[in-house]
Amino acid sequence: MFRSIGNAVVRHPVWTIVAWLIAAVAIVATAPSLPSNSDESSFLPKSYESIKAADLQVKAFPSAFTPSAIALYQRTDGGKLTAQDKKDVARITTELGEKKIDQVQKVVPGQPSEDGRYALTLVQMDSKNAGQPKQADAAEVLRDDVKQLAKGTDLDVKLGGSAAQALDQQDSSKRGEALIGIGTFVIILVTLLIIFRAPILAFLPLITIGLVSAIANGLIAYATKLFDLQANSSISSILIVVLFGVGTDYFLFLMFRYRERLRLGDEPKQAMVNAVDRVGEAIASAAGAVIIAFLALVLSTLGFLKQMGPALAIAVTVTLIAGLTLIPAVVSLIGPKVFWPSKSWQREPDNARFAALGRGVQNRPALVAAVSGLILVALSLGTLGYKATFDLASGSMPKTKESMVVQDEMQKAYSAGAAAPTDVYLSSTDGSPLDKSAFDAYAQKLGAVDGVASARMSQVNRAGTTADFTVTLKYEASTDKAIEAVGKVRDVAHSDAPEGTEALVGGMSSIYKDIDAAVNHDYRTVFPVAAALIMLILGLLLRSVVAPWYLMASVGLGFGATLGATVWIFQEGQGHSGLMFMLPVIMYLFVVAIGTDYNILMIARLREEAREGREPREAAGMAVRHAGPTVAAAGFILAATFATMMLAGNSLLTEMGFAVSFGIAVAAFVMAMFFTPSLTALIGHAAWWPGHADRAKEPEPVPAPVSGGGRDSAVHDPAGRRN
């Protein structure tokens, strides 16, 4: 199949390129805009208690006041607010409400702090648009207006709350995307220039992948709208890295083999056909493993991951098709001039370092397997200290952003949980009015829960069938202690609800607790499904039942080593309270799926060497020698491109960038280079049971070349092999 693809593309390179350009113009011109949502509650399905509570609030208390933005006032000298300061706060609050800003429904004064140094203005926005870009726009207007109104006073005012966080997250994301894009571009360009010493070859993947990126983003927007998926601003940053990192990987897989075929004496066009034929299956299998792993995210209960899975799968699918069609077409059109001005492509390098590594694997496979395995196990021990954090907003922007400063100052000035109180909604089960005489006792029981600062009955709906009890926790909403405390609040709220009533617990801490439960569900569901499907792909590629097991075991060790190293660096080294909650899921999929690429490339080359008649140990050594440079170059570029995510300046992308880049480095330079080939050498022919995929084949007859400009479509080289 891959030879046929190579033949078709090489015969008609211009038409192939034109088809891609037409597709790009059509898709980009007609694709809808990609929506974005920063509301964590939108990531959960309706079956979770926190979402049921939010739905009940909308029905029972349609006019309930839930601040989307909070203006925090303090004196510029840091002292207590004077009588004049309080008058200024009241005036600003009134005038802000009179401006009738889009999305703003109500503006009211908030409670002053107990120490008298802080005052608040609370802004309610349309709950139907929570987390949407239009509320971030409203926050931008509010921030400008409130600062303008405070001019000429002794007050310093900052805007926080969920809408302001969405605004700051949006700004941070744009800056992060720019830095990641520039960093990725520079790393790929410089690395390819060093490897090939050919400017055309260095710029070529950036140009072609840029075209692929436009098509992929358009298709993702279509899919997001068609299937009503949730979008998040962090996805754009991840997409940049995936498209350019994975695309460059496939480009390198192809170009290294193309150069090899030219050195073996193939005519240029036939060299590309043979390159696609030889490496196409490995590229398709590697991409298939990544696509399957990403699609497994549709089983997630979190809307954020459900959208990320198909988006990344679409990106890799388009990249795969480009790797097998667009890139071969462009390169075959340019020919060997693509390597200009370097002449090194014409001669076979010694590959002395990789030849030495190959000999080490060949001569001492048990030692190599033991040492590399012990390194992975040792790093994996760090997973024992793993903890999760759930505040996606603060995790996706620097602490210096204004909304984050407001959040930190409010935690110091008020009860830590005051910025995001927990609500317990008590409703009658038969639709009759509630017995108000039981309210005080119920509030006291809620207030006595460990971790609760205060609890009071705040309002009853018009029908008298639902009461809202406001519970203020002692801890900030996203902390482990707050999540533990809200679990205890749920237990008391349910068990001590008066007869004939039922209770639902809402609020941000309740949402985070449900996100925690959803992530644990995803660990039990997504991980095994992705692993099983990747093993199936490996089994089909290798025609073996044995090899997929130890290949997946090695990748599993790589995942453990990656998570362990991330825990040690960020939790132990930098003092983070935990890692972002979705990091292990994303890390698993990137490290397991993309890391499997290198295992596939190495094991496919090992099988190819074995089919030349070499014994397992020699085949492993030759595979390291010949596939090692490709794996090293691709692994370095992909790890470095993911590392650019650390430039974004927020903990979510910093942790993700380090973890994935470290995991890919481990996959390329430990697993694929040493662990996998040494294990395969030790297991020998049994690694390919029940088939004989590693056994030498009879040489196929070499037909005479077809005349007419390189259309000799079936040239093989069963004997044309380096030693």
Side-chain angles (χ1 to χ4, degrees), residues 445-502:
K445 289 177 181 178
L446 293 174
V449 174
D450 184 29
V452 172
S454 64
R456 60 185 177 83
M457 198 286 293
S458 54
Q459 58 183 330
V460 179
N461 69 338
R462 288 184 179 180
T465 55
T466 300
D468 176 10
F469 292 80
T470 300
V471 177
T472 303
L473 303 178
K474 295 178 180 178
Y475 318 108
E476 195 274 320
S478 65
T479 61
D480 290 340
K481 289 184 177 180
I483 293 168
E484 182 182 353
V486 87
K488 295 175 182 177
V489 169
R490 281 186 179 182
D491 291 340
V492 171
H494 297 160
S495 61
D496 290 344
E499 188 175 350
T501 66
E502 64 177 1

Side-chain angles (χ1 to χ4, degrees), residues 97-114:
E98 291 173 349
K99 286 183 175 289
K100 305 297 181 184
I101 299 169
D102 181 47
Q103 295 296 308
V104 173
Q105 295 179 329
K106 193 182 296 184
V107 181
V108 300
Q111 286 287 111
S113 62
E114 290 185 3

Side-chain angles (χ1 to χ4, degrees), residues 40 56 142 171 197 230 279 296 316 318 324 363 386 427 445 455 479 495 558 589 599 646 667 673 699:
E40 283 94 335
L56 177 61
L142 278 167
D171 292 342
R197 298 177 179 84
Q230 298 293 339
V279 83
V316 175
V318 178
L324 296 177
N363 297 331
Y386 168 73
S427 301
K445 289 177 181 178
T479 61
S495 61
L589 292 169
N599 266 346
M646 299 173 69
M673 202 79 76

Side-chain angles (χ1 to χ4, degrees), residues 1-2 4-21 23 204 208 211-212 215 250-251 254 272 276 280 283 317-333:
M1 180 180 77
F2 296 102
S4 299
I5 293 172
N7 266 316
V9 169
V10 170
R11 285 177 182 172
H12 309 289
V14 174
W15 285 113
T16 302
I17 296 167
V18 169
W20 272 93
L21 291 173
L204 187 57
T208 54
L211 178 64
V212 170
I215 293 174
Y250 299 160
F251 177 81
L254 186 68
M272 181 54 71
V276 174
I283 291 177
T317 301
V318 178
T319 305
L320 167 63
I321 297 170
L324 296 177
T325 60
L326 179 61
I327 291 172
V330 174
V331 174
S332 67
L333 203 60

Side-chain angles (χ1 to χ4, degrees), residues 160-410:
S162 59
Q165 288 177 356
L167 172 63
D168 290 341
Q169 187 178 351
Q170 183 177 287
D171 292 342
S172 179
S173 176
K174 289 178 181 176
R175 174 182 175 275
E177 279 182 40
L179 289 172
I180 290 169
I182 294 169
T184 298
F185 187 92
V186 170
I187 286 169
I188 293 174
L189 183 64
V190 171
T191 307
L192 290 178
L193 280 171
I194 292 172
I195 293 172
F196 293 106
R197 298 177 179 84
I200 297 175
L201 206 57
F203 280 99
L204 187 57
L206 296 170
I207 296 169
T208 54
I209 296 167
L211 178 64
V212 170
S213 175
I215 293 174
N217 276 295
L219 293 175
I220 289 165
Y222 273 121
T224 301
K225 184 176 182 179
L226 181 62
F227 298 106
D228 193 27
L229 299 171
Q230 298 293 339
N232 184 273
S233 54
S234 298
I235 290 177
S236 298
S237 302
I238 299 170
L239 271 175
I240 293 171
V241 176
V242 169
L243 283 163
F244 281 89
V246 174
T248 305
D249 260 13
Y250 299 160
F251 177 81
L252 285 172
F253 290 178
L254 186 68
M255 292 309 301
F256 270 89
R257 185 56 69 99
Y258 175 61
R259 186 175 65 178
E260 179 181 321
R261 299 306 310 176
L262 289 172
R263 286 169 176 168
L264 287 171
D266 285 0
E267 181 270 332
K269 289 187 180 295
Q270 191 59 42
M272 181 54 71
V273 174
N274 285 336
V276 174
D277 180 41
R278 289 296 184 110
V279 83
E281 186 179 20
I283 291 177
S285 299
V290 178
I291 292 165
I292 287 292
F294 288 158
L295 285 178
L297 283 176
V298 300
L299 300 174
S300 171
T301 50
L302 293 172
F304 169 67
L305 294 178
K306 274 191 173 184
Q307 196 272 347
M308 178 184 285
L312 296 179
I314 289 169
V316 175
T317 301
V318 178
T319 305
L320 167 63
I321 297 170
L324 296 177
T325 60
L326 179 61
I327 291 172
V330 174
V331 174
S332 67
L333 203 60
I334 300 172
K337 291 180 181 178
V338 75
F339 296 106
W340 179 87
S342 174
K343 303 290 185 181
S344 62
W345 65 271
Q346 298 174 349
R347 60 185 182 275
E348 173 67 29
D350 294 334
N351 275 348
R353 293 179 183 175
F354 290 99
L357 293 175
R359 288 193 297 272
V361 170
Q362 178 178 339
N363 297 331
R364 298 181 182 83
L367 177 63
V368 172
V371 171
S372 54
L374 283 173
I375 290 172
L376 296 175
V377 170
L379 289 172
S380 297
L381 295 176
T383 59
L384 300 175
Y386 168 73
K387 294 179 181 177
T389 58
F390 298 89
D391 190 355
L392 188 60
S394 62
S396 56
M397 70 184 100
K399 295 292 184 183
T400 53
K401 284 290 186 180
E402 185 170 327
S403 59
M404 292 295 97
V405 174
V406 170
Q407 180 173 292
D408 291 342
E409 290 184 352
M410 283 192 66

Side-chain angles (χ1 to χ4, degrees), residues 3 270 274 699-707 711-718:
R3 176 162 288 274
Q270 191 59 42
N274 285 336
E700 298 180 28
V702 181
V706 178
S707 61
R711 295 176 62 180
D712 44 336
S713 61
V715 176
H716 290 265
D717 67 321

